[in-house]
Amino acid sequence: MVKVGGWGLPASKRSEPPFFTKNQIITVFEQIAILLELKGANMFRVRAYQNASRALSQMEKGLFQVIKSKELTEIKGIGKGLSSLISEIVLNGDWGKLGDLYDEVPVGLVEMVGIPGLGPKRARILHEKLDVSSIDELRSACQKGLVANLQGFGSKSQDKYLEGIELYRRNQGRSRLDVGLRYGMALKSRISEIKGVEEVELAGSARRRKETIGDLDLVVSALPHNHASVIDSILNLPGIADVKGSGDSKISLILEQSVLDSDGVHGKLDKALDESIVNRSEDATIDAQIRVVPPETFPFTLAYFTGSKEHNIRMRQQAIALGLRLNEFGLIPENLIGESIGADAAKYTLVCENEAQIYQKLGLQWITPELREDNGEIEAALDNSVPNLVSQKMIKGALHNHTTASDGRNSLEEMAAEAIGLGWEYLGIAEHSPALNIGGRSIGVDPVAVDQQANLIHDLNQKFQNQGNNFRIFHGAECDILPDGKLDYDRETRAKFHHVIGSVHAINTWKSRDEQVNTDAVINAIEDPSFTILGHPTGRVLQVREGFPIDMTQVIERMGEINREGSLKAIEINASPYRLDLDWRLCRSARDHGVPIVINPDAHSTEGLSDISYGVDIARKGWLRAGDVLNTLPANDIDRILAQ
Ligand code: DGT
Ligand code: CA
Ligand code: ZN
């Protein structure tokens, strides 16, 4: 059996139909398509599984219902053969011969498909021509130059695979923040419904809002006489692929996608994410460690497992200096503790009803989880100067979003309506400029279309005004920063926009160049008078590719200078969970240099606008206050500032 995270046929946990859920079948069919491609099967067979899996994910009705009413064969994309297989799976729990396929393909080959930029077709060729059957063998073939010499591959592919392997190894077993949070929130919500549970919180890196999550940590409070039944109920929740371990107070689980499905109450998976970006972590599993503790221990256990480890070490030192011992069980005076250890010592603990009281007893202001990275938060808390961080309700709009005029999926009106629904005062549209090519085709907006969009925006704004609606659209552009540091469009066209977001997109060119050359080019673009906001500054895509080399310190310093001279030059936190770029580690430096930050969802659809929440998380993690974030300003102020 293939043992790659989340690969293989699931086992049914039910004794009557439906034996498997729609999502389980979707996942298996996606995997089967990949296995068939790796085996070199007929492309029609591969497509049949791909199409069926897509049809299932777009189907709105419940699968069991559709099967019972014999409507499955009427669904477009599901052929006759697969429709009867699906019925077998759901009604009898029988996957037919699909299990064999998992045994026929070498595990290493499946793992290779997890490398960003390497699909099943090419993995098969590498296997056949170079006898490569694992990631390690592929790496050594690349290092020997064998891949570069292979027909149809070349040294570019070889370099790409080497970088992809590096990235894969580093990210192995980690999930993007949005994926981790969805699973985590779903599990939290399911646990909160269990009888006997007093309280449940997400801890660990998810609570600290790291850009990627290794495993989930949850802390559950329950009265001791309920522990056994609570643990039993948790083990019987849907969405558990495997139980790695379970004791009196600790459970270690592997969660699969079905923790999310059912009614949407427990969190839905957004399958409509940008399909141009390979996204494997959605199909993968995620581990969860759950601790069940009595209510009086809960705040200590929560604080401990929230981490970070570095923050905990500082907290413990703080305690020691006061003659106290801090651990996951309590805050215990050294002179009382004697020989007792662990949970036993907890009976001597000082009473803390919540986390804030733990911090208070250590002479500290409470520190919000996002800041707990030992980046100066302890010093700030000692000094009563923990910053008052920006929050989502302070956001009044966003400036970087796309519509169908470039590569977005929704119209201007639809995007505006969604923004109004979010309570925003404005929406900035910033379509791509003509230089941006995807698959040899420009997806940018030419100067004529720019004027058309300007008129459309003018009319819509007029309409909002006539309706007494305090909402407006700002007409910007996401203008390519060309490799030579010039901006796309001519000066006259650029002058028409409310704001110009300069972004690097020709990433391969920039990646192959020297850091200083890139830094100079970006600074050159920023110095252009029309330039207002630096979009996704490094071009990274989390778990897919690193950004291009650039010295952000120089960029931030130069932007600070220009701001002091009176021209607005802001940096975006691109809030798409694929990017989260500017990195949170650099936010405070931008702030300290007087460079405003704009949190932008870079939405390509109405749903995309709500990605703003991840950007706010990252801004908070980067110590930013409302005053550091441009789009906490009301529309009139933004209008005035952009007009300068
Ligand atoms: P992850 O899962 O890799 O994304 O990162 P975390 O931060 O969730 O780390 P994890 O899951 O290993 O442990 C959760 C928290 O438990 C961690 O942030 C701090 C605490 N913790 C774990 N091991 C230790 C340790 O050896 N010492 C201390 N002081 N704290 C620890
Ligand atoms: Ca964790
Ligand atoms: Zn962009």
Side-chain angles (χ1 to χ4, degrees):
M1 184 52 103
V2 174
K3 278 269 180 288
V4 179
W7 278 69
L9 292 181
S12 180
K13 297 201 181 64
R14 294 175 51 89
S15 51
E16 58 184 74
F19 285 99
F20 293 97
T21 66
K22 187 160 76 179
N23 276 346
Q24 285 174 317
I25 299 175
I26 291 170
T27 304
V28 169
F29 280 15
E30 280 169 0
Q31 294 177 356
I32 295 294
I34 291 171
L35 292 172
L36 286 170
E37 255 194 291
L38 286 172
K39 276 190 61 179
N42 182 320
M43 272 320 279
F44 288 108
R45 261 188 92 197
V46 174
R47 295 242 169 75
Y49 283 96
Q50 286 169 340
N51 292 342
S53 129
R54 194 166 317 130
L56 285 174
S57 58
Q58 285 162 0
M59 194 171 95
E60 286 181 358
K61 281 193 202 163
L63 179 59
F64 192 35
Q65 200 52 46
V66 169
I67 291 172
K68 279 194 294 191
S69 59
K70 309 230 182 299
E71 292 169 89
L72 193 59
T73 47
E74 290 159 30
I75 292 186
K76 213 174 139 253
I78 303 180
K80 219 165 154 203
L82 285 190
S83 111
S84 64
L85 176 60
I86 293 169
S87 303
E88 271 301 298
I89 295 167
V90 173
L91 300 177
N92 300 321
D94 182 0
W95 293 89
K97 294 205 173 90
L98 294 188
D100 299 346
L101 262 176
Y102 286 94
D103 297 328
E104 287 164 21
V105 179
V107 182
L109 216 51
V110 173
E111 235 183 334
M112 270 166 58
V113 182
I115 300 172
L118 181 59
K121 204 171 293 157
R122 295 196 144 220
R124 195 184 106 240
I125 299 173
L126 290 165
H127 176 61
E128 281 174 358
K129 296 269 157 77
L130 300 176
D131 196 26
V132 158
S133 305
S134 71
I135 291 182
D136 286 340
E137 286 171 18
L138 175 62
R139 185 190 344 222
S140 106
C142 287
Q143 282 161 347
K144 287 183 199 141
L146 299 176
V147 175
N149 290 333
L150 210 58
Q151 204 199 344
F153 283 78
S155 64
K156 266 202 180 140
S157 306
Q158 185 168 281
D159 293 347
K160 195 171 70 182
Y161 299 156
L162 277 172
E163 190 195 316
I165 290 169
E166 165 87 7
L167 214 64
Y168 176 83
R169 289 288 184 221
R170 203 172 331 134
N171 290 325
Q172 216 171 10
R174 299 192 71 83
S175 303
R176 281 193 328 262
L177 175 63
D178 58 322
V179 177
L181 275 180
R182 283 202 181 102
Y183 278 82
M185 298 294 190
L187 185 60
K188 175 182 162 180
S189 131
R190 288 187 191 274
I191 291 176
S192 71
E193 290 164 4
I194 292 173
K195 206 169 145 255
V197 168
E198 310 285 330
E199 213 174 329
V200 49
E201 256 329 318
L202 200 51
S205 50
R207 187 167 182 233
R208 300 199 317 280
R209 302 295 196 264
K210 280 280 289 283
E211 63 275 38
T212 63
I213 309 295
D215 65 357
L216 296 169
D217 304 271
L218 284 97
V219 183
V220 179
S221 156
L223 292 169
H225 68 268
N226 288 326
H227 280 200
S229 71
V230 165
I231 286 174
D232 192 52
S233 303
I234 293 174
L235 292 174
N236 280 301
L237 287 176
I240 298 174
D242 206 357
V243 178
K244 285 168 110 179
S246 114
D248 310 338
S249 61
K250 186 179 161 188
I251 315 171
S252 180
L253 302 172
I254 303 178
L255 297 179
E256 61 185 10
Q257 233 185 65
S258 53
V259 73
L260 304 173
D261 70 13
S262 75
D263 39 20
V265 174
H266 300 289
K268 252 167 71 184
L269 198 61
D270 180 11
K271 274 273 175 189
L273 292 164
D274 191 351
E275 284 160 27
S276 68
I277 294 168
V278 193
N279 173 40
R280 234 151 260 295
S281 51
E282 302 264 342
D283 300 330
T285 55
I286 186 164
D287 287 11
Q289 318 289 340
I290 304 164
R291 274 95 182 173
V292 183
V293 297
E296 65 275 15
T297 310
F298 181 78
F300 301 105
T301 312
L302 176 62
Y304 181 86
F305 288 106
T306 297
S308 64
K309 202 168 156 183
E310 293 73 19
H311 176 87
N312 287 354
I313 291 170
R314 294 294 307 278
M315 290 285 283
R316 216 153 42 225
Q317 288 168 346
Q318 192 61 27
I320 290 169
L322 297 170
L324 299 164
R325 184 181 298 183
L326 176 66
N327 58 29
E328 64 203 275
F329 307 109
L331 181 61
I332 307 149
E334 281 292 348
N335 59 344
L336 297 182
I337 208 161
E339 298 294 302
S340 50
I341 49 162
D344 222 23
K347 54 179 178 279
Y348 301 112
T349 184
L350 304 179
V351 176
C352 290
E353 283 176 16
N354 50 43
E355 268 190 353
Q357 291 182 7
I358 305 176
Y359 282 86
Q360 194 189 24
K361 288 201 165 65
L362 295 177
L364 299 167
Q365 246 182 314
W366 182 71
I367 298 170
T368 191
E370 296 93 318
L371 295 182
R372 299 184 196 171
E373 300 289 350
D374 192 20
N375 274 336
E377 73 277 11
I378 301 276
E379 287 76 4
L382 276 168
D383 187 36
N384 229 11
S385 63
V386 173
N388 203 348
L389 300 178
V390 64
S391 66
Q392 196 174 337
K393 62 175 192 298
M394 299 172 182
I395 299 292
K396 302 222 164 54
L399 295 173
H400 178 181
N401 300 289
H402 300 264
T403 75
T404 46
S406 62
D407 59 345
R409 276 196 299 273
N410 289 97
S411 68
L412 195 57
E413 289 86 346
E414 287 165 342
M415 295 296 282
E418 186 76 15
I420 293 169
L422 289 172
W424 288 359
E425 291 181 18
Y426 51 91
L427 183 71
I429 296 297
E431 310 284 14
H432 291 291
S433 67
L436 181 60
N437 273 287
I438 290 182
R441 193 173 62 88
S442 168
I443 57 164
V445 176
D446 64 38
V448 177
V450 166
D451 288 338
Q452 288 166 348
Q453 193 175 45
N455 291 335
L456 205 60
I457 288 176
H458 178 266
D459 293 349
L460 258 176
N461 280 340
Q462 200 64 55
K463 198 173 101 188
F464 294 135
Q465 209 177 8
N466 295 343
Q467 290 168 342
N469 190 342
N470 179 29
F471 182 83
R472 77 188 83 169
I473 298 171
F474 290 117
H475 186 200
E478 183 182 18
C479 192
D480 258 62
I481 300 178
L482 304 172
D484 62 0
K486 296 212 166 64
L487 289 168
D488 203 6
Y489 287 128
D490 55 28
R491 187 182 310 175
E492 210 179 309
T493 308
R494 286 200 306 272
K496 293 176 178 173
F497 298 112
H498 279 120
H499 55 293
V500 170
I501 298 171
S503 300
V504 166
H505 286 119
I507 200 93
N508 289 333
T509 307
W510 291 74
K511 276 186 102 159
S512 63
R513 300 200 304 192
D514 173 63
E515 179 176 297
Q516 194 56 46
V517 175
N518 287 338
T519 308
D520 291 342
V522 166
I523 289 178
N524 189 66
I526 291 168
E527 287 170 346
D528 188 285
S530 66
F531 184 105
T532 12
I533 299 164
L534 179 60
H536 48 67
T538 72
R540 77 174 179 192
V541 176
L542 289 167
Q543 305 197 307
V544 175
R545 65 165 193 238
E546 291 220 70
F548 59 87
I550 181 167
D551 182 355
M552 280 307 292
T553 310
Q554 286 180 46
V555 174
I556 289 170
E557 279 171 5
R558 181 72 188 112
M559 292 179 91
E561 275 170 22
I562 310 180
N563 276 287
R564 280 192 296 282
E565 288 160 11
S567 305
L568 174 75
K569 304 286 176 183
I571 301 183
E572 160 178 287
I573 291 178
N574 191 294
S576 160
Y578 288 96
R579 295 186 182 271
L580 303 177
D581 179 21
L582 191 65
D583 190 283
W584 58 269
R585 297 163 188 84
L586 289 170
C587 290
R588 217 174 353 157
S589 158
R591 183 194 86 177
D592 292 344
H593 283 87
V595 181
I597 295 289
V598 190
I599 305 173
N600 278 325
D602 192 1
H604 287 71
S605 67
T606 49
E607 305 95 77
L609 287 174
S610 51
D611 282 348
I612 192 88
S613 68
Y614 306 114
V616 173
D617 288 341
I618 291 304
R620 290 171 61 83
K621 198 158 184 60
W623 288 61
L624 300 183
R625 304 150 299 190
D628 306 318
V629 177
L630 203 62
N631 48 327
T632 58
L633 290 175
N636 283 337
D637 291 0
I638 293 285
D639 200 9
R640 187 173 42 76
I641 290 171
L642 294 181
Q644 276 167 8

